[in-house]
Amino acid sequence: LPMAFRDVNARRHIGLQQLSSLAFAGRTLLGPMKSCKFIVDESTNQSALICSAFRLIESLDLTSAAGQLLNETIQAQNKEFKTGMSTLLFLAGAWSSAVLECLQQNVPVSAIVSVMSEGLNSCCERVQCLQRSIHDVSKELCCSKACQIGCGSLLNPQIFCYSQKEISAPEKVPINSHSCQEGDKYLVSPLASFGSVASLVKPAGDKSTSLISGCNKRKLTHSRYFSTLGKSHFSSQQGTFEERFSGLSAYPCQCSGLGHLAMALSHGNQTSMKLLESIVAYQQERAECSGSSQFNVAEIVTCCLLGLPESYSCVSVGFVTLVSPEHARVVKHFEDKPLRILLMDGDLSEQYRHLGFNRPSNVRTISKSPSLQEGRAGDSWLSTMLDILINFQVNLVLVKGNVCENLMERCVANCILVIGSVTRDVLRAFGEATGAQPVTYLTQLNAACVGGGAQVELWKACDERAVDLGELVPVRVKAEGIGLLTAVLSTTVASKVQLIEDQFWTLVYRLHHALNDKKVFLGGGAVELLCLSHIQMIAEQLSQPASRDTVKEFPSPWLAAAGMEYRSVVLKALAGGWKQYLSAIMCNAAEAASELEACTAVDNHLKKAADCGSPSAYILQEFRRGALVIGGSGPFADYVEGLKVYDNVTAKIEAWRRALDLVLLVLQTDAEIITGPKMNQLLNSYVSSEFMFL
């Protein structure tokens, strides 16, 4: 090799070593059976429980350039997908170690970059055979044993929070569930009211249902099981509408294709899965009547309640948020009254200016008493803003940004409820439901901008008790026909607040991306096992002498032979990353007692796949048997027989690509630091010209 190559490989690649070390800290966060970590803030001595690579990297003090690049890469993955960060982190570390091993064997940097990129592209093409359409998956899950058994133990019958005042007690008559495979005339719907076991069914031949739902439903109006006989599917009254979804009870698996898909993507996160299945049922029910989208992430928000047991977590129609006790008294005053609502798209403060606003450059304010003048101006602004709200008879103001504290106090004194830090999606939902039009400044307000029909109330838990958490009080804002849902996430452990919220949003976005992709990957390690088998097979073929004779002639026969040797070495290193990934998942899921035992199990799968002649056929067969890397159908094996685990397609592949791109970027940056940019460019052009066959 040229002397420059030996200089590059002999010196230390600090960036790759740092990547490998940082990734090792997140090893236990990989797979469905995660081991959470405590992050301690040294300044406050407060701790937080995390199970996400995003939160881990966010909490670390990353002073190195490689650490900053890793942080930006994981943030980009989280921003776009909300899932796949742990996979990205682990593979970045595993492939960093693999690249370091290649460098120790004097493999040129350009050869590593070219072959690893080529190998990953080949894997992405190879695993397409393990994709399944969500229509087929939903139908299969709906008609599996999971549907027949029912999964009743997985759902809380009080998952929807509502008012029981107008619901009569039902007659306790057992309901017989039916299998989708038997072709029964009527199929019991999962939408059963907690107070009155109300269900919707359709004849099996009815084609009016959505493409996603595995089975059909039709309204049954003559049955003693109903206490709302003859009533419309949707009532014009909000209370009745919520009662339709008051308790997604013990029949979640019967004919709810999206519910099954959410369960298969949850990877054992039961608490979030319960909430998501309730949301899916609610949105599907609205979609059948309005023709809107069946699953809309924009109509979901979260509210974390610290001080209640986790069993109080539920889904509430409308917007649930926390307010001060002073605001709670205003809410109590307005309960059961229709309110005039105003939406503010910005801050509600005197200094706020919209994006792009430029102050006049030729205007100067001169005053002999600046402090007095500013005070008078501030009082004047407060009085003006308050007068505007009073003149337009506004009772409720939702503000996207911050709210001036002095104005907030004056509004409370005048029985005007102002809630700040409201997301744009919440403003949009209330605008559609009440007719309110967002304004940037109160001076823009006119009668057409004010909406009507909003209501506020103290949020009540499923046992109909109002909740007082001391410093903050949960309240609910709602309107007739609003599609907004709040997942109320409760816990008594302060360090778990961020954890349960992250877990919920991860599952929400897994379902969201699955519907966008219209396909999913087989889970349980199937995709990674096929990648490993595919890369190892190519590497073994290239290492055989017969394969070298097929390589086209090069100017230097020695270089051609050396290039083929490099290619095999690099591909084996790439495969080593997949093997570490599978071994870590098996160890974390207690499928293997040690890494050695896990590696042996993976090798056994590889041997059986090779003996089968078609690795993809072998993997598909083992997946159906539930005997892959994560055996027994994954973490749900103890709960539901026959339920399979699936993964997102785009999010997973993008995590692979981002991990490898990061490693190769750090590799090339390290090489430039060691040899200088000009020398590294010379080496790259020299090697690339000789490795065109790659």
Side-chain angles (χ1 to χ4, degrees):
L1 282 176
M3 183 62 68
F5 287 164
R6 291 198 293 269
D7 290 341
V8 171
N9 296 337
R11 302 189 188 186
R12 298 170 61 192
H13 284 253
I14 303 299
L16 293 175
Q17 295 179 18
Q18 291 172 343
L19 274 184
S20 181
S21 299
L22 288 170
F24 185 79
R27 184 183 183 89
T28 60
L29 303 177
L30 192 66
M33 309 296 288
K34 303 178 188 296
S35 297
C36 299
K37 291 180 177 291
F38 270 107
I39 299 296
V40 181
D41 189 344
E42 294 181 352
S43 60
T44 61
N45 287 330
Q46 292 182 347
S47 60
L49 196 64
I50 64 167
C51 68
S52 166
F54 171 71
R55 296 298 176 189
L56 174 65
I57 297 300
E58 183 184 54
S59 304
L60 296 180
D61 184 14
L62 302 174
T63 56
S64 64
Q68 291 294 334
L69 288 173
L70 176 61
N71 183 31
E72 292 177 5
T73 305
I74 289 181
Q75 282 187 0
Q77 179 77 12
N78 178 73
K79 182 178 181 180
E80 186 173 359
F81 297 106
K82 296 291 191 299
T83 183
M85 287 81 71
S86 297
T87 296
L88 192 161
L89 178 62
F90 184 90
L91 288 178
W95 285 334
S96 295
S97 301
V99 169
L100 286 171
E101 293 178 1
C102 292
L103 292 172
Q104 291 175 359
Q105 300 179 51
N106 290 325
V107 179
V109 172
S110 294
I112 296 174
V113 173
S114 300
V115 176
M116 279 201 159
S117 299
E118 179 192 12
L120 183 59
N121 290 335
S122 180
C123 282
C124 294
E125 294 177 2
R126 183 69 181 88
V127 297
Q128 289 182 6
C129 63
L130 296 184
Q131 295 177 4
R132 298 284 306 279
S133 71
I134 57 175
H135 175 77
D136 293 339
V137 170
S138 299
K139 184 176 181 180
E140 178 184 341
L141 291 174
C142 182
C143 300
S144 65
K145 286 187 177 180
C147 180
Q148 301 175 30
I149 294 174
C151 300
S153 61
L154 292 178
L155 276 184
N156 183 351
Q158 298 180 352
I159 202 69
F160 256 86
C161 189
Y162 68 107
S163 174
Q164 301 182 22
K165 292 184 290 185
E166 301 178 359
I167 301 179
S168 59
E171 193 173 352
K172 295 185 178 180
V173 180
I175 297 181
N176 296 325
S177 61
H178 301 277
S179 168
C180 300
Q181 294 175 333
E182 296 174 357
D184 297 300
K185 184 176 180 181
Y186 292 103
L187 300 167
V188 182
S189 165
L191 304 175
S193 172
F194 175 71
S196 56
V197 189
S199 302
L200 302 171
V201 293
K202 281 189 178 182
D206 194 332
K207 303 298 183 181
S208 62
T209 187
S210 63
L211 291 176
I212 303 301
S213 300
C215 300
N216 302 306
K217 302 178 282 289
R218 173 181 162 188
K219 186 178 179 183
L220 182 64
T221 57
H222 298 81
S223 171
R224 58 180 178 152
Y225 301 153
F226 293 81
S227 63
T228 55
L229 298 179
K231 291 188 177 181
S232 173
H233 202 60
F234 287 92
S235 171
S236 60
Q237 300 298 322
Q238 180 68 17
T240 306
F241 182 72
E242 291 183 26
E243 289 164 12
R244 291 290 309 139
F245 300 91
S246 56
L248 202 67
S249 72
Y251 303 96
C253 288
Q254 298 180 30
C255 318
S256 178
L258 281 185
H260 285 308
L261 186 60
M263 189 184 300
L265 291 167
S266 67
H267 296 185
N269 186 357
Q270 294 180 53
T271 302
S272 299
M273 183 269 296
K274 299 172 189 177
L275 300 178
L276 182 56
E277 284 206 341
S278 303
I279 292 171
V280 165
Y282 181 92
Q283 291 191 346
Q284 280 190 304
E285 185 73 1
R286 293 186 74 246
E288 290 184 0
C289 182
S290 64
S292 61
S293 174
Q294 290 192 46
F295 184 69
N296 189 355
V297 178
E299 293 183 349
I300 305 172
V301 293
T302 55
C303 178
C304 296
L305 300 185
L306 177 61
L308 291 178
E310 293 186 27
S311 59
Y312 278 72
S313 296
C314 64
V315 177
S316 183
V317 177
F319 176 53
V320 179
T321 187
L322 300 175
V323 300
S324 65
E326 293 78 14
H327 286 78
R329 286 191 286 270
V330 178
V331 172
K332 188 67 175 176
H333 173 74
F334 282 131
E335 277 192 330
D336 300 326
K337 297 178 182 178
L339 305 180
R340 289 172 58 82
I341 182 174
L342 171 63
L343 308 177
M344 297 289 299
D345 188 14
D347 292 350
L348 186 51
S349 63
E350 186 177 7
Q351 294 76 24
Y352 174 74
R353 298 295 183 271
H354 63 274
L355 185 65
F357 176 84
N358 294 318
R359 293 180 178 275
S361 58
N362 58 345
V363 176
R364 297 176 60 190
T365 302
I366 301 175
S367 173
K368 295 181 180 179
S369 304
S371 59
L372 180 61
Q373 187 71 20
E374 290 175 2
R376 290 177 179 175
D379 290 341
S380 175
W381 180 83
L382 291 174
S383 300
T384 302
M385 298 302 105
L386 186 61
D387 290 342
I388 292 174
L389 295 175
I390 293 175
N391 291 336
F392 284 96
Q393 300 179 352
V394 175
N395 312 116
L396 172 64
V397 184
L398 300 182
V399 185
K400 179 177 177 290
N402 299 320
V403 182
C404 173
E405 293 184 3
N406 292 332
L407 180 59
M408 181 89 76
E409 293 175 358
R410 293 200 181 189
C411 288
V412 170
N414 288 271
C415 279
I416 299 176
L417 180 62
V418 181
I419 300 176
S421 301
V422 176
T423 65
R424 191 179 300 273
D425 291 334
V426 174
L427 295 181
R428 184 185 302 112
F430 277 97
E432 294 174 354
T434 65
Q437 300 177 12
V439 296
T440 305
Y441 307 100
L442 277 181
T443 52
Q444 299 173 331
L445 188 60
N446 57 57
C449 297
V450 181
Q455 290 182 305
V456 294
E457 62 183 6
L458 297 178
W459 182 82
K460 298 178 178 62
C462 294
D463 57 4
E464 281 299 290
R465 290 183 299 179
V467 177
D468 186 356
L469 302 178
E471 296 181 356
L472 296 174
V473 179
V475 299
R476 179 169 70 153
V477 186
K478 59 183 181 179
E480 181 180 348
I482 194 169
L484 189 69
L485 296 174
T486 301
V488 182
L489 308 174
S490 60
T491 180
T492 56
V493 183
S495 59
K496 290 187 65 177
V497 171
Q498 188 68 69
L499 171 67
I500 60 177
E501 187 173 21
D502 287 344
Q503 289 178 333
F504 172 77
W505 282 116
T506 296
L507 181 52
V508 167
Y509 275 92
R510 279 179 184 163
L511 180 59
H512 171 70
H513 293 308
L515 296 177
N516 283 348
D517 295 339
K518 296 183 173 57
K519 55 191 175 184
V520 289
F521 271 140
L522 303 185
V527 179
E528 292 77 12
L529 185 61
L530 183 58
C531 286
L532 175 57
S533 174
H534 176 63
I535 292 297
Q536 280 195 348
M537 180 181 64
I538 296 177
E540 291 173 0
Q541 290 177 353
L542 292 174
S543 62
Q544 296 174 1
S547 63
R548 300 185 182 181
D549 298 335
T550 61
V551 180
K552 62 182 180 179
E553 187 175 350
F554 281 84
S556 171
W558 171 85
L559 186 57
M564 187 60 67
E565 181 181 356
Y566 290 147
R567 195 179 190 195
S568 177
V569 170
V570 175
L571 288 177
K572 288 181 179 178
L574 181 67
W578 294 124
K579 193 170 186 178
Q580 290 182 43
Y581 180 91
L582 293 171
S583 300
I585 289 181
M586 293 188 68
C587 292
N588 292 347
E591 296 283 343
S594 64
E595 187 173 356
L596 177 61
E597 182 179 336
C599 289
T600 302
V602 173
D603 289 336
N604 289 336
H605 277 297
L606 293 174
K607 185 178 182 304
K608 292 178 181 178
D611 295 340
C612 178
S614 174
S616 58
Y618 167 79
I619 291 173
L620 181 59
Q621 175 186 347
E622 294 298 295
F623 176 82
R624 290 171 176 168
R625 292 178 52 237
L628 267 177
V629 176
I630 305 298
S633 300
F636 275 113
D638 296 335
Y639 301 95
V640 183
E641 181 183 357
L643 181 67
K644 305 300 181 183
V645 177
Y646 292 89
D647 295 327
N648 290 121
V649 174
T650 305
K652 180 179 282 290
I653 290 180
E654 194 62 26
W656 297 350
R657 294 192 183 278
R658 282 190 165 119
L660 185 59
D661 289 344
L662 173 63
V663 171
L664 298 182
L665 174 62
V666 173
L667 167 64
Q668 292 172 309
T669 304
D670 282 351
E672 287 188 2
I673 293 173
I674 295 172
T675 64
K678 292 185 178 180
M679 177 60 72
N680 188 59
Q681 184 178 2
L682 178 62
L683 293 176
N684 287 340
S685 61
Y686 172 75
V687 175
S688 297
S689 63
E690 301 295 346
F691 286 88
M692 294 299 294
F693 67 92
L694 293 175

